[in-house]
Amino acid sequence: MRYALKSLMRLQFKKLNYVNLTHTFPLSGKAMMLYQNDVKYLKNVCAETVSFKGTHIVSISAMKSSIFMNCIKQIDLSYNTLRNSPLVFAILEAPQIKLINLSHQSYCGSDSFPSTNRKLMSQQLSFNLTFSPSLEILDLSNTYVNPLSSMPLIHLYGANLQRLNLRYTSFSLCTKKNIKLFLPRLWFMDLSGVKCKDLYVAFLKDLHSLSELYISDVNLKLGLTKDVKGEFLNGLTKLRVVDFSENALKDLHPNLFKSQSFSLKTLSLNDNLLTTVPNALRDVALLRILEMRSNKISSFSIDAIITLNHLKSVQIDVRGNPFDCFCNALDSLHWMSDHRELFLHLNETYCIEEPTKTILSVINDTRSLELRSISRLWVQISTSALSVTFLFLVTFTILYRYRILLRYGRLRIRLFWRKRLSAITTCDIPVYDAYISYSSSDFVWVRSKLYPALNGENLRIALQDKDFDPGSSYAEEIVRFINMSKYVIFVITRHFIKSEWGSYEIQVAKIHAIHTKAKLVLIIRDGIQIEDLPKDILFIWWKIKPLVFNENETEGKQAKFFKRLMTTIKD
């Protein structure tokens, strides 16, 4: 580098269009510091454009009040490690400077400002940084500067600055309330990657000439949903291009573009989490380009279609979205087919179900889609009908199979609420010693033989024809008397087995016996065998005391039968 600068000795006081010192760094790659003696020839050269790109320079003398500083119009200091370089601050005030490129500073050290001013700045209430009136372009992209521990109020003045590139820098400009921008002619600003988690609502309010704003990958997901809401772009009536890509946005505030109703031409919302077209776009009737690549849009809802219908001449790019190409999105696909002139690159926009099929091929053959949708609809209807039928059959089978159990439970609940079971629920002593269940065909035998034999022993015996309340539900009375009896005596005859109510009483008694200490006695007549008995009786055979009564036996043997029955009930 020093040899290169010495070669300018013969060009002193000459006027040059371009001086290129790019990559003139030592082989060792060590950082370079250029002092006054190193630039003594350069400062006397009148060069309009100078490049120090990629020279590993850490610091360069300021060369104030020199021919170089008075002539320089463009300077490239990118890809260096400039730290506390006097030249950087001097060049900002050069009288003819138009373009300064300070991008890609890989290391800017622990001090962002000259050490002589750092302590003073942190103590001052405000700090004014004024650019040269001729400066039009300032590029600070991809530059890291360690923030001050105590940030003063900074006023940034640039009367003619038109382009400011802060892309992927560490300057937290959009979140600092103590930074004021006075850039009346600024029309281009790139804040992408600056990480504006908490936007300062008035950050852009004085940039009335702003025409292009790039603010991607800055975490607007949080920034635009807090206090800022719809006021962030308020007053920027000349804004033509806005880039909000890569911000994890799920929606935009409805009033966000109120001030850009007649100015906004291009809006980029790529790589967000939008599932539809934001309603905020209804205010920008003159929008020409809408980029919504790689979002979460599967179809266009009615609200989205209404919004897009407001945009008369827009061109939409929706590549990379998971579009649904089946029945659910049929209306959306029909609308896209009728308005295909609005969409860019439909031949590169694919269906989520079939990644090789494009939206263009689908909307070109909507008739096939309709037929497939109808077929799919009938399949869904058939499947639903079959499922409902199957569910109905299963439910019906279960209810029929356990109908007695359900009815028994319902009757028990009813009796409980009517306090008809108070004798059972309040004490452990049954009201009756036995309840006799019999077929109406066997009533004569029960009345003439069985009931007198038991009643003569002072046993409390309940009979249907004697004790049931007239007008009450027969099924309810059965449950009530079975519950109030110590024993349930079934007179099993062929008439009883065939009787519907006999079967019901057996099932009720079975349920009751399983869940309580109730006891069952069978009086088997008519020569009925065990295999002829109902399955519900066999199911609880272990809780039953079976007795066989033979009509053909002598009276003595029949008397012994009744004696065994009474002994069983009294135990």
Side-chain angles (χ1 to χ4, degrees):
M1 172 62 76
R2 290 188 173 91
Y3 287 118
L5 291 174
K6 286 181 180 180
S7 68
L8 297 175
M9 179 177 63
R10 296 183 178 276
L11 297 175
Q12 289 187 92
F13 309 107
K14 301 289 184 180
K15 186 174 182 179
L16 305 177
N17 290 329
Y18 186 48
V19 174
N20 187 2
L21 298 170
T22 302
H23 300 307
T24 53
F25 51 83
L27 294 177
S28 63
K30 294 180 180 179
M32 175 70 68
M33 298 185 69
L34 300 179
Y35 300 103
Q36 283 289 344
N37 189 53
D38 298 316
V39 297
K40 62 182 179 180
Y41 301 124
L42 177 64
K43 68 180 182 179
N44 292 323
V45 174
C46 183
E48 291 188 357
T49 303
V50 176
S51 175
F52 283 99
K53 181 178 179 180
T55 54
H56 281 197
I57 294 177
V58 173
S59 179
I60 307 177
S61 292
M63 297 184 285
K64 287 187 176 181
S65 302
S66 64
I67 295 175
F68 174 87
M69 198 61 67
N70 289 327
C71 292
I72 189 70
K73 293 182 178 180
Q74 299 184 26
I75 188 167
D76 187 350
L77 295 167
S78 61
Y79 293 93
N80 283 297
T81 55
L82 289 170
R83 177 182 58 189
N84 301 341
S85 178
L87 177 67
V88 173
F89 291 90
I91 207 71
L92 290 173
E93 300 177 357
Q96 297 193 64
I97 192 69
K98 293 181 179 295
L99 185 154
I100 301 176
N101 186 354
L102 282 166
S103 64
H104 295 87
Q105 300 299 319
S106 60
Y107 175 68
C108 293
S110 59
D111 296 330
S112 301
F113 300 94
S115 58
T116 56
N117 296 330
R118 180 177 175 84
K119 183 177 181 181
L120 178 63
M121 283 175 52
S122 62
Q123 295 174 351
Q124 289 176 330
L125 296 177
S126 64
F127 174 75
N128 296 333
L129 183 59
T130 303
F131 298 144
S132 170
S134 62
L135 183 61
E136 297 177 355
I137 301 174
L138 178 60
D139 188 351
L140 294 169
S141 60
N142 296 280
T143 296
Y144 178 81
V145 175
N146 285 331
L148 293 171
S149 58
S150 178
M151 196 69 175
L153 176 61
I154 298 178
H155 291 168
L156 195 63
Y157 295 91
N160 290 297
L161 188 65
Q162 299 177 26
R163 294 174 59 93
L164 178 60
N165 191 347
L166 299 173
R167 184 179 183 85
Y168 289 100
T169 66
S170 61
F171 308 137
S172 300
L173 295 177
C174 57
T175 64
K176 297 292 184 180
K177 295 184 179 181
N178 51 359
I179 296 180
K180 306 294 183 181
L181 300 179
F182 299 96
L183 308 171
R185 298 189 62 186
L186 188 73
W187 63 268
F188 175 96
M189 190 173 195
D190 192 344
L191 292 171
S192 299
V194 178
K195 304 302 179 188
C196 299
K197 181 178 180 180
D198 298 307
L199 286 173
Y200 174 40
V201 66
F203 173 61
L204 302 173
K205 73 171 186 176
D206 295 320
L207 305 180
H208 299 297
S209 298
L210 196 62
S211 177
E212 297 184 19
L213 176 63
Y214 299 87
I215 190 165
S216 65
D217 191 20
V218 297
N219 205 10
L220 285 181
K221 172 187 177 181
L222 299 176
L224 282 180
T225 56
K226 291 190 176 180
D227 296 336
V228 176
K229 296 184 179 178
E231 302 176 14
F232 183 57
L233 304 179
N234 191 31
L236 305 181
T237 57
K238 297 182 179 180
L239 200 57
R240 296 188 304 107
V241 179
V242 174
D243 185 355
F244 282 163
S245 301
E246 302 178 59
N247 280 298
L249 292 170
K250 295 182 179 180
D251 198 5
L252 296 176
H253 193 278
N255 298 326
L256 183 61
F257 299 116
K258 282 287 186 182
S259 298
Q260 292 77 45
S261 298
F262 302 103
S263 65
L264 191 62
K265 298 294 190 298
T266 301
L267 176 62
S268 180
L269 298 172
N270 299 326
D271 300 290
N272 283 295
L273 301 176
L274 297 168
T275 58
T276 187
V277 179
N279 290 337
L281 300 187
R282 296 185 183 183
D283 293 325
V284 288
L286 301 181
L287 190 67
R288 296 291 179 267
I289 300 295
L290 175 59
E291 297 179 349
M292 298 189 69
R293 296 191 300 271
S294 301
N295 277 275
K296 302 295 181 181
I297 300 174
S298 60
S299 62
F300 291 107
S301 63
I302 294 177
D303 283 345
I305 291 174
I306 292 173
T307 300
L308 292 175
N309 285 335
H310 279 78
L311 309 177
K312 304 298 182 181
S313 304
V314 72
Q315 295 283 289
I316 312 168
D317 189 352
V318 289
R319 287 175 291 176
N321 282 280
F323 275 98
D324 186 355
C325 297
F326 279 101
C327 307
N328 297 336
L330 189 58
D331 292 338
S332 173
L333 293 170
H334 272 304
W335 183 84
M336 292 179 71
S337 178
D338 296 337
H339 298 81
R340 64 183 67 194
E341 70 279 358
L342 301 180
F343 296 93
L344 299 169
H345 311 293
L346 284 180
N347 58 333
E348 299 177 20
T349 307
Y350 297 93
C351 302
I352 187 63
E353 299 91 349
E354 300 180 50
T356 59
K357 180 177 288 188
T358 65
I359 297 293
L360 183 62
S361 64
V362 173
I363 64 177
N364 282 337
D365 191 13
T366 54
R367 180 57 182 168
S368 297
L369 178 61
E370 289 175 353
L371 293 176
R372 280 192 300 160
S373 299
I374 293 172
S375 301
R376 188 176 180 182
L377 178 62
W378 277 110
V379 169
Q380 291 176 344
I381 292 174
S382 301
T383 304
S384 299
L386 183 61
S387 300
V388 171
T389 303
F390 177 76
L391 182 62
F392 172 78
L393 291 175
V394 170
T395 304
F396 178 79
T397 302
I398 293 173
L399 292 177
Y400 183 79
R401 175 68 179 84
Y402 297 102
R403 66 190 186 281
I404 304 299
L405 177 61
L406 295 173
R407 193 173 184 182
Y408 173 78
R410 180 174 60 85
L411 293 174
R412 284 293 301 269
I413 293 172
R414 180 185 297 178
L415 290 172
F416 174 78
W417 286 109
R418 291 181 181 178
K419 299 183 178 180
R420 298 288 296 275
L421 292 177
S422 58
I424 296 177
T425 56
T426 58
C427 64
D428 296 329
I429 302 175
V431 177
Y432 297 98
D433 292 305
Y435 163 73
I436 301 175
S437 175
Y438 53 91
S439 170
S440 59
S441 301
D442 302 317
F443 175 70
V444 175
W445 181 83
V446 171
R447 183 190 61 184
S448 61
K449 292 188 177 182
L450 180 59
Y451 180 75
L454 297 177
N455 194 47
E457 296 293 326
N458 295 321
L459 295 175
R460 294 163 297 172
I461 305 299
L463 295 178
Q464 303 167 4
D465 298 283
K466 177 174 69 72
D467 297 302
F468 278 18
D469 290 341
S472 298
S473 169
Y474 193 75
E476 186 174 323
E477 290 295 283
I478 291 173
V479 173
R480 187 162 71 92
F481 276 90
I482 288 177
N483 284 324
M484 290 193 299
S485 301
K486 179 181 177 183
Y487 277 86
V488 179
I489 300 173
F490 290 101
V491 179
I492 305 297
T493 62
R494 299 197 183 279
H495 295 292
F496 184 88
I497 293 175
K498 293 178 181 180
S499 170
E500 179 181 352
W501 283 111
S503 176
Y504 176 76
E505 289 185 83
I506 289 174
Q507 293 190 54
V508 170
K510 178 188 75 172
I511 296 169
H512 185 67
I514 291 174
H515 295 91
T516 66
K517 297 180 179 180
K519 301 173 183 179
L520 306 181
V521 176
L522 297 186
I523 298 177
I524 303 174
R525 299 177 58 206
D526 296 346
I528 294 175
Q529 303 298 317
I530 291 180
E531 57 268 18
D532 297 329
L533 293 174
K535 292 182 180 179
D536 290 307
I537 289 179
L538 298 177
F539 182 78
I540 54 170
W541 189 258
W542 53 279
K543 296 203 69 167
I544 292 176
K545 178 68 174 180
L547 298 173
V548 179
F549 181 83
N550 193 340
E551 298 284 353
N552 300 321
E553 289 182 343
T554 63
E555 291 185 2
K557 289 186 178 181
Q558 290 183 3
K560 289 181 179 180
F561 166 83
F562 289 118
K563 187 175 181 179
R564 286 200 308 272
L565 176 60
M566 287 184 287
T567 302
T568 299
I569 295 174
K570 290 181 178 180
D571 284 344

